[in-house]
Amino acid sequence: MIEADARTVKLQGKFAGALMFAAADVYASPQALANLFPYLKDDARIVAFGAKLSDRRSGKVLNPLLRSLWKLSFSSTPAVNYEPWAPLKDSMDELHFQEYFLGCMFLAWGSRSARHEEDGSGFSGITRSNAFGKHRLL
């Protein structure tokens, strides 16, 4: 385990994946992603899980509570929003996500290839899964 600022940490070697569990300081930070992603191997798997604001009618009532709790986090933590995985889109070939707990939590996953970085081919799309396992490209 390494304890360091994800925006500036220097790592040794290449890694097969990145798991960001409740790590908004990493998955929602373009600076942290830009620093960490060069350390990932070709076709590395990336997973992020965390809180988000809900746009569902039943989940919107929890948004003020979530915003209040967010004020207790570190000053470096990006503000909670409706798409905290957005910085990941620019750095991945494909991104899938699913919402949980009335739309207030998310799980995002996908992969990133070295080709993405070399040719600048960019992002190919987002797939959203619903509770029944069906997917749609957004």
Side-chain angles (χ1 to χ4, degrees):
M1 184 167 147
I2 299 169
E3 186 176 333
D5 186 335
R7 297 171 295 179
T8 59
V9 67
K10 303 293 182 219
L11 302 173
Q12 299 295 316
K14 293 281 189 169
F15 299 87
L19 174 61
M20 297 168 274
F21 182 81
D25 290 64
V26 181
Y27 63 70
S29 168
Q31 298 85 5
L33 296 176
N35 185 50
L36 296 176
F37 277 13
Y39 295 105
L40 295 178
K41 292 180 180 178
D42 189 25
D43 294 324
R45 303 292 299 164
I46 298 158
V47 178
F49 174 80
K52 65 178 273 311
L53 296 178
S54 178
D55 55 2
R56 296 183 190 177
R57 187 180 326 181
S58 57
K60 285 182 179 182
V61 298
L62 298 173
N63 288 347
L65 174 63
L66 191 55
R67 282 187 175 113
S68 295
L69 290 172
W70 217 260
K71 291 177 184 177
L72 300 174
S73 66
F74 298 105
S75 61
S76 62
T77 305
V80 65
N81 61 52
Y82 292 96
E83 292 187 10
W85 58 82
L88 287 170
K89 289 190 299 193
D90 299 329
S91 303
M92 294 177 63
D93 298 324
E94 190 173 302
L95 178 70
H96 307 273
F97 76 94
Q98 188 163 350
E99 295 178 338
Y100 297 92
F101 191 62
L102 304 174
C104 291
M105 303 299 285
F106 76 94
L107 177 67
W109 67 95
S111 63
R112 171 178 160 65
S113 67
R115 176 188 47 79
H116 180 95
E117 200 169 286
E118 292 167 3
D119 68 11
S121 61
F123 180 69
S124 63
I126 298 179
T127 303
R128 181 178 190 165
S129 299
N130 64 23
F132 304 104
K134 297 185 180 180
H135 306 285
R136 65 183 169 132
L137 190 63
L138 300 176

